[in-house]
Amino acid sequence: MKKTLITLLAVFLIAAMVTGCGQTSGSSSKATPTPGQGQSTTGSNEGKSDSIYNPPGTYPIVKERIKLTILAPADGEFDRNENLFTKELEEKMNIDIEFEVAQPGAFKEKMNLMFASGDLTDIVATGVGGTDRMDKATEALLGSQGLIIPLNEYFDTVSIGYKEAFEKLPGLREFITTPDGNIYSLPNVDGSLHIQFNNKLWINTVWLDNLGLSMPTTTEELYNVLKAFKEKDANGNGNPNDEIPLSSCKSGSGVQFDGFLMNPFILTPQTEKMWVDNGKVVFSPMEEGYKEGLKYLRRLYADGLIYPESFTQDQKAQVNLNENGPEPVIGAFLAQRPGYANDLNTIPNSKKWEQYQSVAPLKGPSGKAIAAWNPYAQYQTGIASITKDCKYPEAAFRLIDYIATPEGTLRTAEGVEGNGWRKATPDEKGIDGRPAAFAQITEGKTQNSGWGQLCGLVRTPDFVLSYAYPQDPYGEGVHPLVGRQIILYKASLEHQAVAQPFESILPELYYSQAQIDELTLLKTTIYDYVNTSLVRFITGDLDVEKDWDSYIRQLKDLGVERYLEIVQEAYDVSSFKK
């Protein structure tokens, strides 16, 4: 037994180091939740007089006081056991809640040790932090080992919050379902539209007005606009040589040159650069459309329209470049948000960010525009799981499921009514211009009053749009970080209008341990080569025509065909394959 625990711990620690891929067990049979000690299944409990549970959707959850323990990351200096929301839940649900916490950076190690030792809490709640959240590999492994239980039956019989989310959010249930048919974790949801459309191009509309130009709608029109930015005094400061037509930075969301600017030639989603065509996984960097896009990017660079430092500067350097002077020097830049080339934090603000608007997806040679879309960016798996030793798994599920309701989410995210939030007035509107439901109160908010994004947070798109926002993003007293939300929403609507088909999206998948081991080596090598080659093609170090075939051969030598074969296998056994 001791040897088994040591081996299991070693597997957990290896899985924790793997990023970007998930894992699943090899099982193909569906299972239903195994009742904890002293409890019958949910279906047989409901309506029975000897059941400890009240009907779903009524509170308290249980008729007799019980206790649930939760392993969670520490919340800074605050005691989760003394949290105001914890106390409220205890009284509302008739459940004593006891947190066991791990300090920042030590949570995964403590979780792994807990599962290896067999001394389990009832619930594991990780929050959304990338360093703490249970990845798909670990989640599927724990499920296949029987250390965390499948939750399918609870979703189908007693859920209130997640049931509503499943009905409103396409692909959510499929995204959290492992290939063995089971759901082992409760997700969080962030329904913000802009995180689904990362690849954007921001252009200086004051420069367009200064030169009498219109917003570009095609790749050729963009070329002509950038050329005018370079050759004329676009910023109007009397110096026609200080303008940078197009800039980007080496890392960040939406900054890739083969993102927004490649999509007119071939769909190239961030960051895997893969999509699905009639059930077949397509890797864009090997396609002819990608080659045509490289020619366009090379043309921009050869004509001096791309800032050479774009491949080495970071976001901070780009912001400093644009903010260091009375007028902006960047005409257009690639990024998810306008803050990648503008300072939105400093008050008083330079207001340079107000000059930039998002360019709608461009039409390419085909005459059509398409936007890469990732609706699965809304969903975070592995947030909360129920362990095999939980005596009251239905109570544990219903506790987190309550947080997933609009009432529970608002309470844990924003705090107490009248302190963290208030009902909106009749004249207040949301980001989309419709009447708002509630407004945040930021001043005087009680600390340690909610669980934040620890678990169960389900902000559907409708929920996100219910917040009251100033309708003028540049109005007096409106902080740029608040105003940008309206700008991001409107920009994302333009992308949504031409979004790639839902069935063509390749979501994050579950992989077996054997697949994970092989993918880890292949993925790093392949993407390093693709990204390095992209820069070399753009700058002319590689010739698109002469070196394309050797580029493809090198990709094959690096194992790209095997890599795509593994991804295809995982997709074929996933819940997404129709």
Side-chain angles (χ1 to χ4, degrees):
M1 179 64 179
K2 183 176 181 181
K3 182 178 180 182
T4 301
L5 292 176
I6 293 173
T7 302
L8 181 60
L9 175 58
V11 173
F12 289 155
L13 294 177
I14 292 171
M17 294 186 292
V18 178
T19 58
C21 297
Q23 170 206 339
T24 180
S25 68
S27 172
S28 60
S29 60
K30 292 191 177 183
T32 54
T34 302
Q37 300 172 17
Q39 178 187 333
S40 302
T41 58
T42 58
S44 61
N45 261 333
E46 191 172 343
K48 287 192 174 183
S49 59
D50 60 347
S51 171
I52 68 167
Y53 293 102
N54 287 312
T58 60
Y59 305 104
I61 292 174
V62 288
K63 301 171 184 176
E64 303 169 3
R65 195 80 168 185
I66 64 170
K67 177 182 176 180
L68 291 174
T69 56
I70 305 175
L71 175 66
D75 186 18
E77 63 185 274
F78 301 111
D79 185 348
R80 290 195 182 276
N81 290 306
E82 297 301 318
N83 183 280
L84 181 59
F85 188 50
T86 302
K87 299 297 184 183
E88 289 179 10
L89 285 175
E90 288 180 321
E91 295 310 309
K92 184 179 183 70
M93 306 303 178
N94 201 22
I95 298 172
D96 291 325
I97 300 171
E98 181 179 303
F99 278 99
E100 182 177 338
V101 300
Q103 294 304 312
F107 176 79
K108 275 195 174 178
E109 180 182 2
K110 184 162 186 174
M111 179 184 72
N112 293 338
L113 289 170
M114 181 191 75
F115 280 114
S117 70
D119 185 14
L120 310 181
T121 57
D122 297 310
I123 299 169
V124 177
T126 70
V128 298
T131 58
D132 295 330
R133 183 158 60 95
M134 190 185 296
D135 57 31
K136 286 194 168 186
T138 305
E139 175 195 338
L141 177 62
L142 293 174
S144 69
Q145 295 286 338
L147 294 172
I148 57 177
I149 66 171
L151 306 172
N152 305 43
E153 185 173 336
Y154 299 125
F155 280 112
D156 294 335
T157 59
V158 299
S159 177
I160 304 297
Y162 284 110
K163 179 181 179 181
E164 181 180 348
F166 284 160
E167 293 170 351
K168 291 184 176 181
L169 299 168
L172 173 58
R173 182 156 189 154
E174 291 82 359
F175 189 71
I176 64 175
T177 299
T178 62
D180 69 4
N182 288 318
I183 300 173
Y184 294 109
S185 73
L186 296 156
N188 276 15
V189 175
D190 179 358
S192 300
L193 188 63
H194 72 271
I195 65 173
Q196 303 174 46
F197 297 98
N198 283 332
N199 297 127
K200 295 184 177 72
L201 176 68
W202 301 88
I203 198 164
N204 193 307
T205 56
V206 172
W207 288 20
L208 290 176
D209 293 341
N210 288 346
L211 301 180
L213 301 173
S214 300
M215 183 72 80
T217 61
T218 67
T219 52
E220 192 61 26
E221 288 177 5
L222 176 63
Y223 171 85
N224 291 329
V225 165
L226 296 178
K227 192 169 180 63
F229 283 175
K230 179 181 186 297
E231 296 174 349
K232 300 178 181 180
D233 183 20
N235 63 12
N237 67 352
N239 182 2
N241 301 313
D242 66 346
E243 286 84 359
I244 297 171
L246 175 62
S247 180
S248 193
C249 46
K250 63 182 180 180
S251 62
S253 185
V255 302
Q256 297 80 6
F257 276 96
D258 61 348
F260 180 92
L261 294 175
M262 185 62 73
N263 286 331
F265 300 90
I266 185 171
L267 180 64
T268 310
Q270 180 186 322
T271 56
E272 307 293 328
K273 310 180 195 296
M274 291 187 287
W275 50 287
V276 179
D277 184 14
N278 292 318
K280 180 183 177 181
V281 175
V282 178
F283 186 50
S284 293
M286 296 184 70
E287 300 296 315
E288 281 297 314
Y290 194 87
K291 179 181 178 181
E292 294 306 308
L294 288 177
K295 292 178 182 178
Y296 176 75
L297 293 171
R298 172 57 190 156
R299 179 187 176 199
L300 295 180
Y301 189 90
D303 288 353
L305 307 184
I306 295 177
Y307 185 48
E309 301 301 316
S310 296
F311 309 108
T312 55
Q313 69 179 353
D314 59 17
Q315 178 183 344
K316 182 179 179 181
Q318 183 169 252
V319 171
N320 290 339
L321 176 69
N322 206 35
E323 290 283 354
N324 187 26
E327 300 295 336
V329 295
I330 296 176
F333 61 94
L334 296 161
Q336 182 202 58
R337 305 183 302 274
Y340 272 76
N342 300 280
D343 180 3
L344 274 64
N345 295 286
T346 302
I347 301 296
N349 190 261
S350 72
K351 297 186 178 297
K352 289 180 180 178
W353 82 281
E354 297 181 8
Q355 298 187 27
Y356 294 89
Q357 294 295 323
S358 174
V359 179
L362 299 171
K363 296 175 183 178
S366 69
K368 296 180 180 180
I370 190 169
W373 178 33
N374 182 15
Y376 302 105
Q378 302 173 86
Y379 315 143
Q380 299 97 40
T381 60
I383 299 296
S385 300
I386 300 172
T387 73
K388 70 178 183 64
D389 287 350
C390 181
K391 294 181 179 180
Y392 309 102
E394 179 180 329
F397 179 93
R398 288 172 61 179
L399 174 71
I400 301 172
D401 186 73
Y402 164 74
I403 301 174
T405 65
E407 175 186 304
T409 288
L410 181 60
R411 172 62 188 85
T412 189
E414 303 300 342
V416 180
E417 182 179 3
N419 180 263
W421 66 278
R422 60 172 175 79
K423 291 184 175 65
T425 60
D427 61 331
E428 288 183 307
K429 293 181 172 58
I431 295 177
D432 61 351
R434 293 185 297 174
F438 46 83
Q440 290 178 312
I441 300 174
T442 56
E443 295 183 2
K445 183 176 180 178
T446 302
Q447 294 184 311
N448 203 26
S449 62
W451 287 7
Q453 299 186 77
L454 178 65
C455 63
L457 200 69
V458 177
R459 293 179 290 198
T460 64
D462 286 342
F463 184 93
V464 171
L465 295 175
S466 295
Y467 282 86
Y469 270 90
Q471 296 304 286
D472 180 2
Y474 313 121
E476 184 177 354
V478 177
H479 196 288
L481 293 178
V482 174
R484 75 168 183 182
Q485 295 302 114
I486 297 177
I487 301 300
L488 285 170
Y489 177 72
K490 292 180 178 179
S492 299
L493 286 177
E494 294 180 325
H495 287 247
Q496 188 180 50
V498 292
Q500 70 180 99
F502 186 77
E503 62 273 13
S504 72
I505 300 165
L506 182 68
E508 181 185 359
L509 300 169
Y510 288 91
Y511 294 91
S512 69
Q513 185 60 51
Q515 289 173 325
I516 276 281
D517 293 341
E518 197 171 356
L519 278 175
T520 301
L521 296 174
L522 290 171
K523 184 175 182 180
T524 300
T525 305
I526 290 168
Y527 282 98
D528 282 350
Y529 178 69
V530 167
N531 292 329
T532 300
S533 298
L534 170 66
V535 176
R536 295 182 67 190
F537 278 125
I538 293 174
T539 58
D541 190 39
L542 289 176
D543 185 279
V544 179
E545 290 292 352
K546 294 180 181 179
D547 296 315
W548 176 259
D549 289 343
S550 61
Y551 159 76
I552 295 296
R553 284 195 300 271
Q554 182 63 23
L555 275 174
K556 291 180 179 179
D557 289 343
L558 293 173
V560 70
E561 291 172 316
R562 175 57 184 154
Y563 174 74
L564 294 175
E565 183 180 16
I566 296 171
V567 176
Q568 185 72 57
E569 290 171 355
Y571 177 77
D572 287 343
V573 299
S574 72
S575 299
F576 301 98
K577 185 65 180 283
K578 304 301 182 182

